[in-house]
Amino acid sequence: LLSQFDPDNTGYISTEKFRSLLQRHGSELDPHKLEVLLALADSNSEGRICYQDFVNLMSNKRSNSFRQAILQGNRRLCSKALLEETGLSLPQRLIRHVAYETLPREIDRKWYYDSYTCCPPPWFMITITIVAFFLYNGVVLDRFVLQVTHPLYLKNALLYHPQLRAQAWRYLTYIFMHAGIEHLGLNVVLQLLVGVPLEMVHGAARISFVYVAGVVAGSLAVSVADMTAPVVGSSGGVYALVSAHLANIVMNWSGMKCQFKLLRMAVALICTVWLRFHPSPSPPCPHPSFMAHLGGVMVGITLGVIILRNYEQRLQDQTLWWIFLSIYVIFVMFAIFWNIFAYSLLDLKLPPPP
């Protein structure tokens, strides 16, 4: 194909030859993909198209140069908006809904709608919700997560406790325990309603990275700023996803077509404040720490928002990605050294170990 349309081996295809190729094989393509290809041809002012961009496009990969080629110039998407299409099946309507919930540009929504195959499914968020919260705590520990008044509630190897901070796994496994039905219910609802659509669009690797980074930042923030507090709950990871999604909505306010934008932001703020000042459950259950929420939020609006803003682009090409990643690594290293030395130097009175 390259030798046919690029005999001089320049790496480019002329717009005329590109259009003739589309006319010949356009019926074989998804309608939205054909529309994107035509927009690529219309937006190019030099009369040629990079062959590698064309190959990436056909293989469902898009680079920065491709995105710039699409966004530059006065391109026109002639067909109706995806939201106006009728006669769709229930799965198709679900995919369309997810596209409008998470993506700010119509061209991205159409591309995602045509490309999404549900293979693999959003397994990470579903697994971490069902297995971690219910199966593990109910079967392995032989006491369900809601039994917070049980005298053995804190006597497990999962939650974070300042006296046991040398057991490094606790900085992550504390997400498997929750402080009552309200705490568990809110995290599960947010995790499924926000996390699953985000994973459907951005993939398990990116979303799991944001989630785990928020979890670790939450426990480390508590160990630095609220040194005597034990920690339970997955709020660090949940709020990393929620804050990244809300920040993405704010930064792309005019393009985002998700419903009730102001309402969902208000609800998220109310939930954060409520969890901070809600009366603690019966002892010995620890109160959910506000610092864990704050650590997750900071991860969401730094690392998370970069991931969500750059749909199908390589993160390592983004300068901000490296800046925020460096800040996160520096914070983690600082918190590690703080945990090693600060507790003994400050001579704090810590609560007894469970």
Side-chain angles (χ1 to χ4, degrees), residues 228-299:
T228 61
V231 186
V232 294
S234 60
S235 298
V238 170
Y239 277 88
L241 297 179
V242 171
S243 61
H245 180 50
L246 293 181
N248 191 43
I249 292 176
V250 172
M251 297 177 71
N252 301 280
W253 188 264
S254 60
M256 296 296 291
K257 302 300 181 183
C258 51
Q259 296 179 334
F260 310 115
K261 290 184 288 188
L262 285 174
L263 178 61
R264 67 179 62 189
M265 296 181 69
V267 169
L269 179 62
I270 291 171
C271 289
T272 304
V273 175
W274 177 80
L275 279 176
R276 171 64 181 89
F277 295 104
H278 180 66
S280 180
S282 303
C285 179
H287 195 288
S289 176
F290 179 68
M291 291 307 302
H293 299 168
L294 183 59
V297 168
M298 294 306 298
V299 167

Side-chain angles (χ1 to χ4, degrees), residues 202 209 227 307:
H202 299 281
F209 174 80
M227 299 172 67
I307 290 179

Side-chain angles (χ1 to χ4, degrees), residues 308-326:
L308 300 194
R309 286 183 62 198
N310 294 278
Y311 171 60
E312 288 189 351
Q313 292 187 32
R314 294 180 300 170
L315 295 179
Q316 57 265 34
D317 291 339
Q318 307 298 324
T319 303
L320 280 178
W321 160 254
W322 287 109
I323 294 175
F324 290 146
L325 182 62
S326 300

